[in-house]
C-alpha cells in the first residue's frame, strides 16, 4: 500500500517476477479495461481521470474474478487493492473461502511533494504498463518501451492537480482506516519509499526474506 507515485508498481513488478508470484494491480487492470473499451472501462475512465476511487462493487467483482485465475496458486502480490474498508472486508471473505491468508502488508511512506515530482516525469507503456521516468529511469530510445517496444505515454491522472486529489482522497482519507485495520492484526511494516530505487529494493527484499515469502 502507498500513495500514488510511491513506487509500488515499480517494486511489485520486480518482486513478482523474481519470486514467482502473480502480480494483481487493480490500476493496471482498469487501464486495460479503458483501452479495450469494456463496460467497466467506460464507467471507470472519467472517475480515474479526476483522481477518484472507482466504486467498491466494480472493483471487488473485478478482483474476485482475477483472484480465481490459475496463476494465483503459488502466491499473489496485491498492488492497489484493497484501498477501502469495504474492499478489505471483501478480501477477508474471499481468502477465508480459499483457506488462504495475508502474509504481510507493506506501507510505502512518502510525502506529497516528492510524489508530485515523480509522477510529473512518469511515462508508461501502452501495451503492458511498464514504468519509466524521463529523468531517473529513461528508456534507451525516447518514447519507446525497452521491454515490449510499445509507445510510452503520460497518464491522464498524472497532472499535478489530479495527483494532489489522489494523494488526499485516496491515501490520506480512504486508505488510513485500512492500514489501521491491518496494523491491529500485526501485519504492517512501514518502508521509507522516498529513498533511491536501489535502497527501496534492498529494504523490501530484506523484509520479504524475513517473512519467508519466497515462493
Ligand atoms: P493505480 O494505477 O493503482 O495508481 P496509484 O496507486 O495512484 O499508484 P501509481 O501507479 O500512480 O504509483 P506507484 O506507486 O505504482 O508508482 P510507480 O512505481 O509507477 O490506480 C489508478 C487509478 O485506478 C486510481 O486513481 C483509482 O481511480 C483506480 N483504482 C485502482 N485501484 C483501485 C481500487 N482498489 N479501488 C478503487 N479504485 C481503484 O512510480 C512512480 C514514478 O516514480 C515512476 O516514474 C518511477 O519510475 C519512479 N520511481 C519509482 N521508484 C522510485 C524511487 N525509489 N526513486 C525515484 N523514482 C522512483
Amino acid at each position: 500500500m502507498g500513495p500514488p507515485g510511491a513506487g509500488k508498481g515499480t517494486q511489485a513488478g520486480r518482486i513478482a517476477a523474481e519470486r514467482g508470484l502473480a502480480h494483481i494491480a487493480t490500476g493496471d487492470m482498469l487501464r486495460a479495461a479503458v483501452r479495450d473499451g469494456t463496460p467497466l472501462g467506460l464507467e471507470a475512465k472519467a472517475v480515474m481521470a479526476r483522481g477518484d476511487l472507482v466504486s467498491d462493487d466494480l472493483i471487488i467483482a473485478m478482483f474476485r474474478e482475477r483472484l480465481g485465475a490459475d496463476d494465483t496458486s503459488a502466491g499473489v502480490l496485491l498492488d492497489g487493492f484493497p484501498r477501502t474498508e469495504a474492499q478489505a472486508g471483501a478480501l477477508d471473505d474471499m481468502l477465508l473461502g480459499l483457506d488462504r491468508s495475508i502474509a504481510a502488508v507493506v506501507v510505502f511512506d512518502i510525502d506529497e511533494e516528492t510524489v508530485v515530482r515523480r509522477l510529473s516525469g512518469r511515462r508508461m507503456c501502452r501495451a503492458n504498463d511498464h514504468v519509466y521516468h524521463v529523468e531517473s529511469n529513461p528508456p534507451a530510445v525516447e518514447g519507446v518501451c525497452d521491454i515490449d517496444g510499445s509507445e510510452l505515454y503520460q497518464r491522464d491522472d498524472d497532472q499535478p492537480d489530479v495527483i494532489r486529489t489522489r494523494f488526499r482522497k485516496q491515501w490520506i482519507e480512504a486508505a488510513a482506516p485500512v492500514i489501521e485495520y491491518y496494523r491491529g492484526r500485526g501485519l504492517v511494516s512501514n518502508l521509507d519509499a522516498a529513498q533511491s530505487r536501489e535502497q527501496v529494493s534492498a529494504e523490501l527484499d530484506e523484509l520479504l526474506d524475513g517473512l519467508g515469502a519466497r515462493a
Side-chain angles (χ1 to χ4, degrees):
M1 298 183 68
K8 306 180 297 294
T10 298
Q11 294 294 335
R14 176 185 70 82
I15 286 170
E18 288 175 4
R19 294 174 188 254
L21 304 170
H23 175 196
I24 302 185
T26 43
D28 291 352
M29 293 173 73
L30 289 168
R31 278 184 292 280
V34 171
R35 271 197 300 272
D36 295 346
T38 67
L40 168 65
L42 294 176
E43 194 156 343
K45 189 172 191 262
V47 179
M48 293 169 74
R50 64 171 185 264
D52 283 332
L53 286 169
V54 174
S55 79
D56 285 331
D57 288 351
L58 286 178
I59 290 288
I60 290 167
M62 178 184 82
F63 179 82
R64 188 188 307 278
E65 191 181 335
R66 178 66 185 87
L67 191 64
D70 290 344
D71 67 338
T72 61
S73 55
V76 175
L77 199 159
L78 302 184
D79 170 5
F81 181 94
R83 290 193 198 204
T84 64
E85 290 176 283
Q87 293 177 20
L91 177 62
D92 280 347
D93 292 343
M94 287 182 233
L95 293 178
L96 194 65
L98 294 167
D99 196 22
R100 305 186 74 166
S101 59
I102 298 171
V105 176
V106 182
V107 174
F108 281 41
D109 292 320
I110 193 163
D111 62 282
E112 186 173 339
E113 297 314 314
T114 307
V115 300
V116 171
R117 268 201 311 280
R118 276 190 190 176
L119 291 183
S120 300
R122 173 166 64 182
R123 299 291 181 271
M124 293 183 73
C125 87
R126 292 237 181 251
N128 292 297
D129 291 298
H130 294 125
V131 182
Y132 296 86
H133 191 279
V134 289
E135 285 164 9
S136 67
N137 183 28
V141 177
E142 195 184 330
V144 180
C145 178
D146 292 344
I147 301 166
D148 59 35
S150 71
E151 180 200 18
L152 301 186
Y153 76 104
Q154 185 167 26
R155 276 168 47 175
D156 289 346
D157 58 351
D158 276 352
Q159 303 303 323
D161 56 329
V162 184
I163 298 168
R164 291 185 192 285
T165 301
R166 290 158 62 202
F167 190 95
R168 291 187 186 142
K169 283 179 143 172
Q170 298 191 25
W171 182 242
I172 305 288
E173 292 168 24
V178 181
I179 294 170
E180 287 322 302
Y181 173 63
Y182 288 130
R183 200 181 299 286
R185 290 166 52 183
L187 290 170
V188 173
S189 299
N190 287 73
L191 181 149
D192 176 5
Q195 304 176 97
S196 71
R197 257 185 215 82
E198 295 70 25
Q199 286 169 316
V200 173
S201 297
E203 205 174 303
L204 197 50
D205 285 343
E206 193 177 317
L207 201 155
L208 295 178
D209 287 343
L211 293 168
R214 194 172 289 276

